[in-house]
Amino acid sequence: MSIIEERLITKLETEDGSLSGRVWMESKKIWRIAFPAILARVALFGVVMVTQAFVGHIGALELSAFAVVQTILVRFACGITLGMSSATETLCGQAFGAGQYHMMGIYLQRSWIVSSSVTTILLPAFIFAAQIFKLLGQVDEIAEEAGTISLWFIPVLYTTLFSSTMQMYLQAQLKNFVIIWLTVASFAIHVLLSWILVYLLNYGIPGAMIAMNISFLLLVIGEFVYIFGGWCPDTWRGFTKAAFSDIFPVIKLSISSGVMICLELWYNSVLVLLAGYMKSAVIAIATFSICLNITTWELMIGLGFLVTASVRISNELGRGNTKAAKFSIKVILCTGTCLGVVFSVVCLLCSYQIAYVFTSSEEVAKSVSSLSIPLAFSVLLNSIQPILSGVAIGAGLQSVVAYVNIGCYYVVGVPIGALLGYVAHLEVKGIWIGMICGVATQALTLLLMTWRTDWEKQVTRASERLNRWLLKAPDQESN
């Protein structure tokens, strides 16, 4: 179905009628975006999860080192680069809603320029990871092992950068199912490669990391082939010098987006660092990382709804339809909350069994089981909070959310976690409760902000931004 047909169908859909009919129509729009986005993110994060599972069965030290790199360094770098590239989601979504299709390819190229430059600047952190972790006070044996593993993550930074921006570009124009096929295929290949390299060939850590790099690379190649091969004729007109024009306003919006996302991702990294200072650091980090991975895997569903909220809100703001935007927010929030309740009950009942997916240690499994109640609360919040962040991204309110994240996470969450973990001697459970307090405060703040937002004003801002950066399409220039 072409983009023009999509817009004709949208125009033919009226908003009058029964409430149930309107909810049904909106739900169909939501799940058309959400299902591919969720499945793609579950499969994509599954690549990292499978790698960690293989590493965890090699040894507790290796698992802790991998967890430190993934939750601190990788989140630090991806928090910046992926956060900055989320500006692509805002701009492409609003451009699609406004019918400025040729600008979407230009916005994509601008995001590549900005994000790849920042990624290159961050490489020394991965090269000197062992020294950095030692300076941060981590145990020497964990720091040394983490320094080796961090080098294997350097190719992942670039493949993740290009993959995520292309997914945002494709999702903004509702080309979702190609992402499903590519990510699921990448995940299946990764499982097979990991089994061959780690178990059959006994390559250990190098085998697990090689498998992960190959899987991410194949995904990026597939996305490049789809975009460059002519399957996006309305939005991709080839490489152009126009990508370098108006680059500084894009950088400004990208920085706001980067601060918003990275402060959120760094929050968990700070808590992992706090866990590393405890007496049984290896057990504490392993426990915290397993719980974090459980919630993060469920968070992939929340991120699918984040994408959905961002696309729906940005599309409707681009069209100037504030009534549809507000109704979409209500339906997405109700849907996400219902799913969150279901998954939180599963985590409450099965946390002990889930832990054995990542470890063979009875001590670690028991430690994870002791966190079942805080884990269930985290899962519920992870189903609500991303939707509210997606609304902010769709409206271009990233800079406001950045200030919210600073206050909720670092003024509320981290101090409470430190007090409960060290002063009250609740260990990992205390740190996790602090994390819940920070996320809950953020969710309530974003909910209040969404309710009080002047959506007519956001339509005006979106229109002004798109018109200010609008360039003529090549066929318009020739005419």
Side-chain angles (χ1 to χ4, degrees):
M1 187 179 292
S2 68
I3 289 176
I4 295 177
E5 290 172 332
E6 296 278 359
R7 291 180 65 82
L8 287 174
I9 290 174
T10 301
K11 288 182 180 180
L12 290 173
E13 293 174 348
T14 59
E15 293 188 1
D16 48 13
S18 66
L19 177 62
S20 60
R22 292 175 59 201
V23 171
W24 173 248
M25 291 301 300
E26 182 62 33
S27 296
K28 288 199 298 184
K29 295 177 183 178
I30 288 171
W31 281 106
R32 183 179 176 186
I33 304 170
F35 178 73
I38 290 170
L39 191 56
R41 276 156 180 76
V42 168
L44 195 60
F45 185 68
V47 172
V48 179
M49 295 283 281
V50 167
T51 303
Q52 180 158 355
F54 275 96
V55 170
H57 287 285
I58 294 173
L61 174 62
E62 289 78 5
L63 173 61
S64 297
F66 186 94
V68 166
V69 175
Q70 181 200 346
T71 54
I72 296 178
L73 272 188
V74 176
R75 282 175 180 265
F76 172 80
C78 290
I80 296 175
T81 56
L82 297 186
M84 294 183 73
S85 63
S86 72
T88 309
E89 205 165 6
T90 301
L91 296 172
C92 284
Q94 294 181 356
F96 181 81
Q100 299 175 2
Y101 305 128
H102 68 285
M103 288 300 299
M104 295 177 67
I106 297 175
Y107 291 141
L108 177 63
Q109 294 173 55
R110 287 174 180 170
S111 71
W112 288 343
I113 295 169
V114 174
S115 298
S116 59
S117 301
V118 174
T119 299
T120 304
I121 294 172
L122 295 174
L123 288 185
F126 287 79
I127 297 173
F128 302 103
Q131 292 84 346
I132 292 174
F133 286 130
K134 288 179 181 178
L135 287 174
L136 292 174
Q138 293 297 306
V139 178
D140 285 351
E141 57 181 359
I142 295 178
E144 291 293 340
E145 188 67 32
T148 302
I149 292 175
S150 66
L151 297 176
W152 289 101
F153 270 102
I154 291 177
V156 173
L157 296 179
Y158 288 98
T159 52
T160 302
L161 158 66
F162 286 102
S163 175
S164 62
T165 50
M166 285 188 283
Q167 286 184 25
M168 293 172 187
Y169 162 80
L170 292 171
Q171 286 162 346
Q173 52 191 305
L174 306 181
K175 294 183 180 292
N176 299 301
F177 282 93
V178 63
I179 300 174
I180 288 183
W181 290 111
L182 291 174
T183 51
V184 170
S186 173
F187 176 75
I189 291 171
H190 177 65
V191 173
L192 179 61
L193 282 176
S194 298
W195 179 71
I196 293 173
L197 294 174
V198 177
Y199 281 145
L200 289 187
L201 300 180
N202 198 27
Y203 283 171
I205 296 293
M209 302 305 293
I210 289 172
M212 183 172 66
N213 278 286
I214 292 175
S215 302
F216 279 125
L217 181 60
L218 291 176
L219 173 61
V220 171
I221 291 173
E223 290 170 342
F224 273 126
V225 169
Y226 183 82
I227 294 174
F228 296 165
W231 283 278
C232 301
D234 296 308
T235 58
W236 180 262
R237 307 290 182 87
F239 290 100
T240 172
K241 295 179 180 178
F244 293 92
S245 64
D246 291 323
I247 195 72
F248 290 107
V250 175
I251 292 175
K252 183 179 179 181
L253 180 60
S254 297
I255 290 174
S256 299
S257 304
V259 172
M260 169 188 162
I261 299 295
C262 71
L263 287 174
E264 192 165 331
L265 293 179
W266 291 354
Y267 180 47
N268 293 328
S269 302
V270 172
L271 297 175
V272 171
L273 276 175
L274 291 177
Y277 298 139
M278 292 182 175
K279 294 178 181 179
S280 302
V282 172
I283 299 298
I285 292 177
T287 301
F288 201 91
S289 65
I290 289 174
C291 291
L292 197 57
N293 278 322
I294 292 172
T295 58
T296 304
W297 208 340
E298 187 272 336
L299 180 62
M300 295 301 106
I301 298 174
L303 292 180
F305 282 106
L306 182 152
V307 171
T308 305
S310 174
V311 171
R312 289 291 299 125
I313 301 308
S314 61
N315 283 175
E316 296 301 341
L317 291 181
R319 296 187 182 105
N321 193 342
T322 57
K323 186 177 180 180
K326 289 187 286 187
F327 185 72
S328 181
I329 294 171
K330 297 175 183 177
V331 177
I332 296 173
L333 273 174
C334 291
T335 305
T337 302
C338 291
L339 287 175
V341 171
V342 173
F343 286 113
S344 62
V345 171
V346 172
C347 287
L348 189 64
L349 299 176
C350 305
S351 59
Y352 183 79
Q353 291 80 1
I354 295 173
Y356 278 108
V357 175
F358 304 95
T359 182
S360 302
S361 172
E362 175 74 16
E363 187 177 1
V364 173
K366 288 182 178 179
S367 181
V368 171
S369 181
S370 68
L371 293 173
S372 59
I373 295 177
L375 191 62
F377 276 108
S378 295
V379 167
L380 179 60
L381 289 171
N382 282 347
S383 302
I384 300 172
Q385 178 268 332
I387 295 174
L388 299 171
S389 295
V391 172
I393 292 173
L397 297 173
Q398 290 95 326
S399 58
V400 178
V401 180
Y403 290 109
V404 172
N405 288 350
I406 291 174
C408 296
Y409 290 151
Y410 300 96
V411 177
V412 177
V414 172
I416 291 177
L419 286 173
L420 293 178
Y422 290 98
V423 179
H425 303 292
L426 292 178
E427 300 287 323
V428 177
K429 183 181 289 187
I431 295 176
W432 198 273
I433 292 173
M435 182 182 72
I436 291 175
C437 293
V439 176
T441 306
Q442 187 218 26
L444 290 173
T445 305
L446 291 180
L447 186 62
L448 178 62
M449 188 182 78
T450 302
W451 179 57
R452 298 185 63 180
T453 296
D454 184 348
W455 291 102
E456 295 292 343
K457 187 176 182 180
Q458 297 308 316
V459 167
T460 303
R461 288 182 175 178
S463 177
E464 290 175 350
R465 181 190 299 118
L466 293 174
N467 291 330
R468 185 169 65 251
W469 295 346
L470 177 63
L471 300 173
K472 289 185 177 180
D475 52 350
Q476 292 176 328
E477 292 177 353
S478 62
N479 291 334

